[in-house]
Amino acid sequence: MRKWTIPSVLLVLFLLCALPDQGRKLGANAEGEADELVDPPKVEEKLGAVPNGLSTDSDVAKREAESMSKRSLRSNAEKFEFQAEVSRLMDIIINSLYSNKDIFLREIISNASDALDKIRFLSLTDKEILGEGDNAKLEIQIKLDKENKILSIRDRGIGMTKEDLIKHLGTIAKSGTSAFVEKMQTSGDLNLIGQFGVGFYSVYLVADYVEVISKHNDDKQYVWESKADGAFAISEDTWNEPLGRGTEIKLHLREEAAEYLEESKLKDLVKKYSEFISFPIYLWASKEVDVEVPADEDESSEEEESSEKSSSEEEGDEDAEKTDDEDAEKKPKTKKVTETTYEWELLNDVKAIWLRNPKEVTEEEYTKFYHSLAKDFSDEKPLAWSHFTAEGDVEFKAVLFVPPKAPHDLYESYYNSNKSNLKLYVRRVFISDEFDELLPKYLNFLKVLVDSDTLPLNVSREMLQQHSSLKTIKKKLIRKALDMIRKIAEEDPEDANNKDKKDTEKSGDEDDEKKGQYAKFWNEFGKSIKLGIIEDATNRNRLAKLLRFESTKSDGQLTSLDQYISRMKSGQKDIFYITGNSKEQLEKSPFLERLKKKNYEVILFTDPVDEYLMQYLMDYEDKKFQNVSKEGLKLGKDSKDKDLKESYKELTKWWKSALASDNIDDVKISNRLDNTPCVVVTSKYGWSANMERIMQSQTLSDASKQAYMRGKRVLEINPRHPIIKELRERVVKDPEDESVKNTAQLMYQTALMESGFMLSDPKDFASRIYDSVKSGLNISPDAAVEEEDDAEEAETESEEASAPPKDKPDATEDAETTEAKDEL
């Protein structure tokens, strides 16, 4: 037992020495309230130490040490230790590579706005709490001191007592800081700053020494100061200008943060992050003005001499000269100089119109707000806007605008870009414009502003994206956006859906202004609606109502699916459509011949995205869509079909075997042809000819992988066409006739090309055409091409070789020329 005595005693002594001094101060009014603080502040024993995290390299360490030596905490102030997690937080802020330091100003202004909100709320029941004069002005002021590198932000809010300064700036809610630190260590995203209730500490991104001067109505004016080295000090303020009420934060900026001493930089930051704060934000800005000052004596004497000379040279009336001299004596000599003056400049002059009742906002105000939101400096008005307030579990206000024109790069890298034109605000404080999850991609052409009072500010962008409220907001935004677009169509007297009901109404100025608005919208953003049908299954039917297209009966005007259905023939069960390159090409398509003859309307889709669209839009209002270039087309019952099939059975069977090498699935009697002998259709669920062409045109297309998606090809023949009748008779006579086989092959290749397919062997097709031309001109199939005469060509070459070069002089001429030169 004795051998353990000495080590035990030493251990006890070590523990006693390690215990903290119980006499450390917590500050006035802080005793007895330690239970309110997560970790009571403690005295910092090494106030002069340089923060460990600042020593990234020798140069930085030296610079930081010099900076700190110039700014020491006041000796007569009460000194405290930061809560442990606050020290960790500052260490992370200072040592991390931060890409966007700009948010510090957003956080300080946001805190100032909250302080102003509190005092305004209290003034509703106690008007005297605001005071008089400047104290009653609820505003935020920003001031620069370039010489001393100090940036000051002041508010006339509720202010903080000494106890508030200790509690709010020395400790933080543990849950918030823990979540912040944990998130920082895992993701390293410092955009989290200011969104865990730790926004104040973002000032250390740009400052190495911070003073917080604050005056509360119930306490004296105090100064809180810290160098972010683990300690802070508080003292009664007897040297600064009395605030009256409120808080002023002085940031002693780092060398690398000198850009924040530029007025233009601060103006841009306020415009970006705090433009719609409900309290005015002023900047003490410089301004150059021309002023008149008394001229110097030397300059005035020179002017007098020059005036005397000019008066002696001029001739005029003596009385007039006297009058001029008297006026000159009365007016003092002055000159204009440029001086720099300073005045308070209002930075947030654009009003948050979404906070007002939509009935009270004028059209001009909406237009002005749109130009500010979209940074659109043209004179064009937005096509439409929607201003609404959502209530319920999630409360928010929103304004949506449809721009007058689509940006040129709207659909470039559509699926790879994360561009969003939505700005998210929480209590009028800008949070982010990167929340592309709040609106689907197909609506990214809208300019949207959302401001919520219920969304939490104490979460990051990543956490907010997973917030349950976002789903509700997204759902309501989509619904309102589609209603707004539908309203453009309803108010347009020229739109297809409104022509019938507008004919009986008198057109006024409002109708004239809205004429053609939906056609303009469709030309600019119609592709977005089609992409929405592809991507958004929930709202597919609503989006389908917004579709516009041309058809065989629309006379060059846009029409809708509702209009198409209203014009459908009795007994028609399907909506007929065809896809292709252009309207002109489709109107001449052989697939439309029988449909036109029977007075069926066919939709003409000419946009490449339409092929993808129709793979998702299977039906509308219980009507199925039918591509007239694919199999399955039904145009009523024909009693002669069975007889025709039987009479052409031998021909179809022979033709199928003759085309075995061309992967033809079948040869059938057609019910869609009128003047064309034959056509090639594809299977119902395979690619159409247009889709096949689009896929083959892709830059990175792989033909081997596309083969399984190509539809089975079926050759449909017109039993009433004379060529088909003649072909049937010849096949019956002699099925082995080579000329008949060649004709059948040529007709198939022609039908393939006319149906929109690309020929696999254009050379073979061309050869068959030339053979057909020979036959038509009664030229023998064995007639050969005449060869050139090689003998004549050889003689010509030998003559050219024997002739002397034209550019070289003859030898005799050279000799004569030389002799002439010698004589000279």
Side-chain angles (χ1 to χ4, degrees):
M1 295 292 293
R2 181 176 293 181
K3 64 182 179 180
W4 294 99
T5 304
I6 294 175
S8 301
V9 171
L10 291 174
L11 179 61
V12 171
L13 289 174
F14 176 78
L15 292 173
L16 289 173
C17 293
L19 288 175
D21 185 5
Q22 299 297 322
R24 294 174 181 173
K25 295 182 181 180
L26 295 179
N29 300 326
E31 294 90 348
E33 297 185 9
D35 54 334
E36 296 181 8
L37 305 178
V38 179
D39 287 322
K42 299 175 183 178
V43 175
E44 172 59 60
E45 296 176 352
K46 298 180 180 180
L47 290 176
V50 178
N52 296 330
L54 296 178
S55 304
T56 54
D57 55 56
S58 58
D59 294 335
V60 174
K62 182 180 178 181
R63 186 171 68 251
E64 293 294 345
E66 291 175 354
S67 176
M68 291 302 176
S69 64
K70 295 177 183 177
R71 297 165 180 167
S72 59
L73 302 183
R74 294 177 178 82
S75 58
N76 61 343
E78 288 187 84
K79 298 177 178 63
F80 303 88
E81 228 181 33
F82 277 113
Q83 179 188 7
E85 287 190 336
V86 176
S87 296
R88 287 180 67 197
L89 169 66
M90 292 184 178
D91 186 61
I92 290 172
I93 292 174
I94 294 171
N95 291 291
S96 297
L97 180 62
Y98 192 68
S99 60
N100 182 19
K101 299 179 181 180
D102 296 345
I103 58 101
F104 83 92
L105 188 62
R106 177 192 76 180
E107 298 305 323
I108 299 303
I109 292 177
S110 178
N111 292 341
S113 176
D114 290 343
L116 291 166
D117 270 327
K118 290 177 183 177
I119 196 68
R120 182 171 61 179
F121 177 76
L122 293 175
S123 68
L124 298 177
T125 55
D126 183 5
K127 293 184 179 180
E128 295 181 358
I129 198 171
L130 287 178
E132 299 177 352
D134 290 340
N135 286 339
K137 298 178 180 178
L138 301 181
E139 59 190 16
I140 300 169
Q141 296 176 340
I142 303 174
K143 209 167 187 178
L144 298 173
D145 184 351
K146 292 188 177 182
E147 292 184 4
N148 297 314
K149 298 179 181 178
I150 297 175
L151 172 62
S152 301
I153 300 98
R154 176 181 177 178
D155 67 77
R156 302 183 191 276
I158 194 167
M160 288 182 280
T161 63
K162 181 180 179 181
E163 182 181 351
D164 291 335
L165 289 170
I166 297 172
K167 184 165 63 175
H168 294 165
L169 302 186
T171 63
I172 317 175
K174 185 174 182 180
S175 59
T177 312
S178 298
F180 174 84
V181 173
E182 181 181 350
K183 193 74 176 175
M184 270 298 307
Q185 292 174 343
T186 55
S187 69
D189 182 8
L190 273 166
N191 285 308
L192 305 172
I193 290 181
Q195 297 170 2
F196 277 92
V198 294
F200 168 75
Y201 301 101
S202 63
V203 296
Y204 290 105
L205 294 167
V206 297
D208 52 17
Y209 173 63
V210 177
E211 295 177 85
V212 180
I213 308 163
S214 193
K215 172 68 172 73
H216 191 281
N217 284 341
D218 299 336
D219 205 347
K220 299 177 181 178
Q221 183 166 311
Y222 284 91
V223 176
W224 179 100
E225 54 184 331
S226 175
K227 298 183 294 180
D229 58 353
F232 64 92
I234 296 179
S235 55
E236 184 178 340
D237 186 10
T238 56
W239 56 90
N240 286 310
E241 176 188 353
L243 296 180
R245 186 195 67 253
T247 301
E248 181 176 2
I249 299 177
K250 291 184 176 180
L251 308 180
H252 297 256
L253 299 178
R254 302 173 184 271
E255 291 289 339
E256 60 270 21
E259 60 179 316
Y260 298 105
L261 290 171
E262 299 296 329
E263 294 177 7
S264 59
K265 177 69 173 178
L266 296 177
K267 290 177 182 178
D268 291 341
L269 292 182
V270 173
K271 288 285 185 184
K272 179 177 181 180
Y273 291 108
S274 308
E275 187 175 17
F276 301 112
I277 292 289
S278 54
F279 301 100
I281 302 172
Y282 291 98
L283 174 67
W284 188 245
S286 60
K287 185 179 180 181
E288 292 187 350
V289 295
D290 293 333
V291 295
E292 289 190 356
V293 297
D296 295 337
E297 292 182 1
D298 296 338
E299 293 179 0
S300 60
S301 61
E302 289 177 3
E303 291 178 0
E304 287 177 1
E305 289 176 4
S306 60
S307 62
E308 286 177 1
K309 289 180 181 178
S310 60
S311 60
S312 61
E313 293 173 0
E314 294 177 357
E315 294 181 359
D317 189 81
E318 293 182 0
D319 295 336
E321 288 180 1
K322 289 181 180 179
T323 305
D324 292 339
D325 292 339
E326 291 175 1
D327 292 342
E329 290 177 3
K330 291 179 182 178
K331 292 181 181 178
K333 301 295 183 180
T334 61
K335 64 177 182 178
K336 284 188 177 182
V337 296
T338 302
E339 289 187 355
T340 301
T341 61
Y342 287 85
E343 61 182 18
W344 290 110
E345 181 180 341
L346 182 63
L347 301 183
N348 57 335
D349 56 344
V350 179
K351 302 301 180 184
I353 65 170
W354 68 84
L355 301 177
R356 296 162 55 187
N357 188 330
K359 296 179 180 178
E360 299 174 357
V361 185
T362 64
E363 184 176 313
E364 289 74 15
E365 288 176 314
Y366 277 121
T367 302
K368 180 182 177 182
F369 182 77
Y370 163 75
H371 287 148
S372 172
L373 180 68
K375 301 296 184 289
D376 182 358
F377 304 105
S378 67
D379 296 329
E380 290 188 85
K381 295 191 300 183
L383 290 178
W385 55 81
S386 178
H387 179 189
F388 65 95
T389 301
E391 298 179 349
D393 295 337
V394 181
E395 295 184 359
F396 68 93
K397 298 177 175 64
V399 185
L400 295 81
F401 292 95
V402 178
K405 288 184 178 179
H408 66 279
D409 58 345
L410 179 59
Y411 301 109
E412 292 181 9
S413 302
Y414 176 80
Y415 288 105
N416 297 326
S417 64
N418 292 320
K419 288 193 307 180
S420 175
N421 290 316
L422 184 143
K423 293 181 181 292
L424 177 64
Y425 288 75
V426 175
R427 292 187 285 278
R428 296 173 302 285
V429 177
F430 176 68
I431 300 301
S432 177
D433 56 0
E434 298 179 356
F435 282 95
D436 48 295
E437 288 80 5
L438 275 177
L439 268 184
K441 282 184 179 295
Y442 68 89
L443 290 178
N444 62 2
F445 64 90
L446 298 177
K447 305 292 182 182
V448 184
L449 185 145
V450 176
D451 186 5
S452 173
D453 290 337
T454 56
L455 276 178
L457 265 173
N458 61 337
V459 291
S460 70
R461 172 177 171 262
E462 287 76 12
M463 293 175 65
L464 189 56
Q465 286 176 346
Q466 300 171 6
H467 200 276
S468 58
S469 302
L470 289 192
K471 293 182 180 178
T472 306
I473 295 177
K474 181 176 182 178
K475 185 177 179 181
K476 292 184 178 179
L477 285 178
I478 294 174
R479 188 71 58 85
K480 287 291 184 179
L482 298 185
D483 287 344
M484 172 178 60
I485 297 170
R486 178 178 51 80
K487 192 176 179 182
I488 301 176
E490 290 179 349
E491 294 180 351
D492 184 357
E494 291 186 351
D495 186 65
N497 285 353
N498 300 326
K499 283 185 178 179
D500 295 338
K501 63 182 180 182
K502 290 287 183 181
D503 287 341
T504 57
E505 298 177 7
K506 294 181 179 180
S507 61
D509 294 338
E510 187 176 350
D511 282 348
D512 292 339
E513 185 179 346
K514 293 178 179 179
K515 278 183 180 178
Q517 288 291 84
Y518 194 75
K520 183 179 179 182
F521 165 82
W522 185 257
N523 291 332
E524 297 289 338
F525 307 107
K527 189 172 292 187
S528 293
I529 301 300
K530 295 175 181 179
L531 291 168
I533 293 174
I534 296 171
E535 299 169 9
D536 191 352
T538 305
N539 296 290
R540 189 162 290 157
N541 193 59
R542 290 189 182 90
L543 288 161
K545 288 184 176 295
L546 302 175
L547 269 179
R548 296 295 183 270
F549 44 81
E550 291 188 52
S551 73
T552 53
K553 290 187 178 181
S554 65
D555 297 326
Q557 302 296 319
L558 293 175
T559 188
S560 65
L561 288 174
D562 290 330
Q563 281 293 101
Y564 180 95
I565 291 175
S566 68
R567 294 193 294 259
M568 283 176 64
K569 291 180 64 175
S570 60
Q572 182 181 344
K573 296 180 179 179
D574 297 335
I575 299 175
F576 299 128
Y577 74 93
I578 187 172
T579 58
N581 283 331
S582 65
K583 176 189 171 187
E584 293 74 17
Q585 180 188 7
L586 291 178
E587 287 178 334
K588 299 174 184 177
S589 172
F591 295 109
L592 303 185
E593 291 177 357
R594 193 93 182 274
L595 290 161
K596 286 182 177 179
K597 189 173 183 180
K598 292 198 170 189
N599 200 29
Y600 285 103
E601 183 176 7
V602 182
I603 297 171
L604 308 176
F605 283 132
T606 58
D607 194 341
V609 76
D610 293 332
E611 282 285 354
Y612 302 92
L613 166 71
M614 299 314 296
Q615 294 178 22
Y616 292 87
L617 192 62
M618 299 295 186
D619 56 76
Y620 179 78
E621 301 292 342
D622 298 327
K623 304 289 184 182
K624 299 289 184 182
F625 285 91
Q626 172 64 53
N627 189 334
V628 299
S629 68
K630 291 186 177 184
E631 65 179 2
L633 180 65
K634 295 179 181 179
L635 300 177
K637 293 182 180 180
D638 193 339
S639 59
K640 298 180 180 180
D641 284 351
K642 290 183 180 180
D643 297 336
L644 284 172
K645 287 179 181 178
E646 190 64 30
S647 62
Y648 280 88
K649 186 175 181 180
E650 187 174 355
L651 174 63
T652 55
K653 187 178 179 180
W654 173 86
W655 211 335
K656 181 179 178 181
S657 63
L659 300 175
S661 60
D662 293 288
N663 296 321
I664 279 293
D665 186 62
D666 202 359
V667 179
K668 295 181 178 179
I669 300 298
S670 178
N671 65 338
R672 69 186 86 210
L673 297 177
D674 185 38
N675 299 318
T676 303
C678 56
V679 74
V680 178
V681 300
T682 55
S683 56
K684 189 169 186 179
Y685 298 105
W687 282 346
S688 66
N690 187 53
M691 186 64 174
E692 191 173 314
R693 178 185 55 80
I694 291 171
M695 295 307 296
Q696 288 177 352
S697 301
Q698 300 297 320
T699 306
L700 303 176
S701 62
D702 188 345
S704 61
K705 294 181 180 179
Q706 294 174 3
Y708 73 96
M709 279 304 297
R710 292 195 181 101
K712 294 180 179 179
R713 297 175 181 177
V714 176
L715 178 64
E716 290 191 359
I717 59 176
N718 184 358
R720 290 170 291 274
H721 200 281
I723 294 178
I724 301 299
K725 289 181 178 181
E726 180 65 25
L727 197 61
R728 179 185 61 173
E729 292 179 3
R730 294 201 179 191
V731 168
V732 172
K733 288 180 182 179
D734 186 5
E736 299 301 325
D737 188 350
E738 287 298 324
S739 63
V740 176
K741 288 183 178 180
N742 287 334
T743 302
Q745 186 71 30
L746 180 59
M747 289 184 64
Y748 165 70
Q749 291 177 332
T750 305
L752 199 66
M753 187 171 59
E754 190 178 18
S755 301
F757 293 95
M758 297 179 70
L759 297 176
S760 58
D761 190 356
K763 178 64 177 176
D764 180 63
F765 173 70
S767 298
R768 294 181 189 277
I769 289 291
Y770 295 144
D771 289 341
S772 179
V773 171
K774 281 181 181 180
S775 177
L777 297 175
N778 294 321
I779 300 173
S780 172
D782 300 327
V785 178
E786 184 179 347
E787 295 184 2
E788 295 184 28
D789 191 348
D790 295 337
E792 291 182 1
E793 185 177 346
E795 288 178 3
T796 306
E797 289 179 357
S798 61
E799 289 176 2
E800 290 178 355
S802 61
K806 293 182 179 179
D807 54 343
K808 291 184 179 180
D810 188 68
T812 308
E813 293 179 1
D814 287 345
E816 292 177 356
T817 306
T818 305
E819 290 177 1
K821 286 182 179 178
D822 291 341
E823 290 177 359
L824 290 172

